[in-house]
Structure formats: structure tokens, C-alpha cells
Amino acid sequence: MNDQLVSMITQLVMEKMEKTTEGQAPEVITTPTEPLIKFYDTAATKGATELAEPMSTTSEPLIQLYQQGIPQQAHIAPATFEQPLNVAVPIKPFQFEADTLTDSIQAAKKHTPARIGVGRAGTRPKTKTWLKFRLDHAAAVDAVYGEVTEDLLQKLDVFQVTTKVTDKEEYITRPDLGRRLSDEAKSLIQQKCKQQPKVQVIISNGLSASAIEENVQDVYLALQQSLSNLNIDIGTTFYIDKGRVALMDEIGELLQAEVIVYLIGERPGLVSAESMSAYLCYKPRIGTVEAERMVISNIHKGGIPPLEAGAYLGTIVQKILHYEASGVELVAKEG
């Protein structure tokens, strides 16, 4: 574009702007006499003020402020330094809410160690209940993987033999191997044990070494005393590591015993990991069915007392020898 033309256009624009500015009148900013927002202490003050002041264009203010949506009824006194800002509140120690159990649940708790009426925290067990559960579970695991001490075997004056099981994992996963003696065990039993005894007592940790540690000494000594009082001959007692109940069949074949009493640790539960059982059978042989066996279970301090169980076993042995039967057949002959 031509420079001369640009200069002319610019000069015309500047002159036009100067004329427009000179012709405009100065703008006057007015302040409204009526406030947009009014504040009242009380409703009465509001009415008196409206009567004294001249009427404005609007009869009501645009916004009225009241405390909690209702007019204030009294003037709030200003705070003074004489009034304490913080009032001490006595601290109460935290306490759990007392469990309210029905009469039926309270009665049931007196007759069972089961976890009933323990309550809950929301959808979960209470901390005390959960910790007790973990403790009982740990005790059950220790019972399965534990071992009977040599000191106890020396006190009982028994020798030890093994089954075809090599370790605990195999014992748990292969019950059939726990029902058979190792070749060394067969030879040792035939060498040391009395042949054709009236009663042959055997001991095994089974699934709970803790049960044997806690109960077998009292049970065995009471059983010995009971059989002695009944003039019943007892064979050579020995201990089997990692044995199963049906192992009594093979031992019956080896020793030709009339009655076998098998003291064994039972599978631990969450109520007790120290429960022992006593299995009895008349002339057990390989192929004996379970109906021919008898069992006195739940022998521990929270069930059948060990001394009482040992004495009772002597009575059962006497009955088996008298009727020449055990299990279901004994019950039928007695009936």
C-alpha cells in the first residue's frame, strides 16, 4: 500500500477520536441511599427501623439474615475473659459392650467347649476370639508334627519300632504305609515280645504326639494295675512311631495275642490337641473289619480323665476275654 495513503488515513482517524472525546459529558457515579443488604438484631428492631426511615423503591431488602433460619429472640452477650474457654471433661476408660447372651446359649456354654456365643465385630470375629482360634490351630499343627520324647519312653520302659513311613508328609498322605511295619520292626518285635499273650499293649503317636505326652503314662499305669488286679497276663509293651489303627492287625498276626489294646494320639481339633484314644480288638488279624474294633475316645484332661480311662479299659478287656468277642459282636452277645 502507498505510504502517503496510510499516513492520511491515520491522521483522519486521530482527528475523529479527539472530536468524540470532547463531545462526551463526564459520567457521574451515584451511590444508592438504600443498602442492598440489611442486618437486624431482632424482629422488633426491624419494624421500628422501617417506620422511621422513608419508604424506598423496594419494601423489603433483597437479603435478610437470621440465625438458624428464625429471627433471634435475644441479644447475644459478648464473651468476656472471665469465662473459661475450655471446660474440663472427666475422661472415662474405654470398655467393650457387655455381651448379652440368651439363657439357652449360657446353658449350652456350660456343657460344651465349642465356640458358641462369642459374638462378632461387624461381619468379623472379635479380636480375642480370632487370637484364640489361631492359638488352637497352632497347637493342632504342633501336635501333628511333634515327636514323643525319649524321656517318656524310658519312663514307660518300652522299645521303639517304625512303620514303612519315612517322614511326616508321607505319613499324612499315605495312610496305607502307616498300617504296615518295616522289616526291621517285625524282626525286633519277634525277638523282644512275649508270644501269645492274653493282652498286648501298643502305643503310637498317631496324629498327636502331644496326646501321648500328656496322657499315656497315667493311662498305661492305671491299665497295668487294673489288669493285675483282674489276674490278666500282659505282654511286652512297645512304641510305634507314625502308626495307624489298623496296624494292630499285623501285630496280632505276629504275636497271636488274644486282645490288643492300642493307645494312639487322635487327630487334633480346635478344642483340644491332646486327645488320645484306646482301640481294642479280640484276636485281630489281617482282614479284620472296623465293626470288630472298639474304641474309648476323648481321653484327656477336658474329657475322660486318664486314670479313669485306664481303669475302665481293664474292665473292657475282661469283658472281651469273657465273651471272646469285641465290637458289634460283643454288644450282641451282651444284649
Side-chain angles (χ1 to χ4, degrees), residues 228-293:
S228 177
N229 294 338
L230 296 171
N231 297 319
I232 298 175
D233 183 37
I234 186 171
T236 308
T237 305
F238 58 93
Y239 172 77
I240 306 172
D241 184 39
K242 303 178 184 66
R244 296 281 181 174
V245 174
L247 190 60
M248 66 166 58
D249 300 344
E250 187 173 9
I251 296 171
E253 291 274 1
L254 288 174
L255 300 179
Q256 297 296 307
E258 289 194 42
V259 179
I260 285 186
V261 180
Y262 195 171
L263 307 178
I264 188 170
E266 286 287 10
R267 180 181 291 106
L270 294 175
V271 173
S272 175
E274 302 173 352
S275 180
M276 190 182 77
S277 291
Y279 288 84
L280 303 94
C281 188
Y282 177 72
K283 291 186 177 181
R285 303 294 185 264
I286 294 177
T288 299
V289 297
E290 296 302 317
E292 298 178 22
R293 308 188 205 278

Side-chain angles (χ1 to χ4, degrees), residues 41 43 68 87 171 198 220 233 248 268 273 299 308 315 319:
D41 291 338
Q68 297 180 352
V87 180
Y171 175 73
K198 282 284 186 182
Y220 179 60
D233 183 37
M248 66 166 58
I299 303 173
E308 181 181 336
T315 304
K319 192 180 297 184

Side-chain angles (χ1 to χ4, degrees), residues 154-173:
Q154 291 176 4
K155 289 179 182 179
L156 298 175
D157 191 22
V158 296
F159 66 94
Q160 178 175 341
V161 296
T162 59
T163 62
K164 291 186 176 181
V165 174
T166 57
D167 53 34
K168 282 289 184 180
E169 297 300 330
E170 188 175 52
Y171 175 73
I172 295 172
T173 58

Side-chain angles (χ1 to χ4, degrees), residues 99-112 116-117:
D99 294 333
T100 55
L101 302 178
T102 62
D103 295 339
S104 59
I105 294 180
Q106 291 179 2
K109 287 175 70 70
K110 295 179 181 179
H111 299 282
T112 176
I116 59 175

Side-chain angles (χ1 to χ4, degrees), residues 176-208:
D176 57 312
L177 297 180
R179 301 188 184 108
R180 291 291 181 267
L181 292 168
S182 64
D183 295 336
E184 296 81 4
K186 292 179 183 179
S187 300
L188 193 59
I189 289 172
Q190 289 176 336
Q191 292 174 8
K192 291 191 173 185
C193 291
K194 181 181 178 180
Q195 293 293 320
Q196 297 182 349
K198 282 284 186 182
V199 179
Q200 175 64 51
V201 180
I202 54 179
I203 304 169
S204 178
N205 52 358
L207 285 168
S208 177

